[in-house]
Amino acid sequence: YAEEIVQIGTIYGLDGVYYSPESLEPGMGYWVRATQDGDITLSSTTIALKEVEQNNYLSDANTIVLSSESYSTTLFFGKDVPRGEKLNYSLPPTFLKMAFDARFTDDMKVVLEAGEIEVTNQFETITIEYDIKIDAGEHMNWVLSSESGDEYTLEGIDEITVPTEETFALERKAVIP
């Protein structure tokens, strides 16, 4: 049974960038994270589909949306996910010739306090939108650093456009007077 081996929330299609499909279309390819070996059988004769509820632990987490041209990826930070649920927030592996991709190391779309963001982008600039719902704490800031050394303090809701880089570091940093 698929619901016993498919990791919830990890079915992805590809259209220049990975996306979570609302439905599976015949003839299209999809990536699925499985927790064990097994068979997944899809049938068009099924009258009712069992819908699996996914707890959204990240509904009130900080978000950072990285985009370029018509492609975008949303990443989450500042909130922890229970240990047994972490794979629900994993992404398919990257490959050469992808138009756009952004993710934390280890193919994840969530970190608690710090992480490196790996970017694949065929365009010269990247737009970064952020929404900070969880404050970094007293004398602390959420800071995004580029590979070339530029630092951006993330507060409130805002958007910046920067030159494309292969990596960015996101961290909860102490404010040094």
Side-chain angles (χ1 to χ4, degrees), residues 30-138:
Y30 297 93
W31 183 90
V32 177
R33 179 173 301 281
T35 56
Q36 61 192 26
D37 290 344
D39 294 327
I40 300 171
T41 304
L42 302 175
S43 171
S44 60
T45 60
T46 304
I47 295 171
L49 295 174
K50 179 180 176 186
E51 195 167 306
V52 180
E53 281 294 315
Q54 179 179 4
N55 290 327
N56 189 354
Y57 295 102
L58 303 177
S59 60
D60 56 347
N62 297 330
T63 58
I64 185 166
V65 180
L66 297 99
S67 59
S68 201
E69 299 294 319
S70 62
Y71 304 113
S72 71
T73 299
T74 303
L75 302 176
F76 304 89
F77 63 99
K79 190 154 185 216
D80 205 7
V81 174
R83 182 176 216 95
E85 304 285 326
K86 287 201 186 288
L87 281 181
N88 294 353
Y89 300 97
S90 62
L91 292 164
T94 58
F95 59 90
L96 293 175
K97 299 193 180 185
M98 286 184 76
F100 180 83
D101 187 77
R103 64 191 51 225
F104 289 111
T105 344
D106 298 332
D107 298 330
M108 297 299 291
K109 55 184 172 182
V110 61
V111 294
L112 178 58
E113 290 189 352
E116 186 174 286
I117 300 172
E118 300 168 343
V119 176
T120 300
N121 189 6
Q122 297 178 352
F123 309 101
E124 290 183 19
T125 61
I126 188 166
T127 300
I128 301 169
E129 297 173 58
Y130 54 87
D131 184 356
I132 306 302
K133 300 173 187 168
I134 300 169
D135 189 59
E138 193 173 347

Side-chain angles (χ1 to χ4, degrees), residues 142-160:
W142 293 110
V143 177
L144 182 70
S145 306
S146 71
E147 230 178 331
S148 56
D150 294 325
E151 286 194 352
Y152 309 94
T153 299
L154 309 182
E155 295 176 307
I157 299 172
D158 207 349
E159 175 182 303
I160 54 176

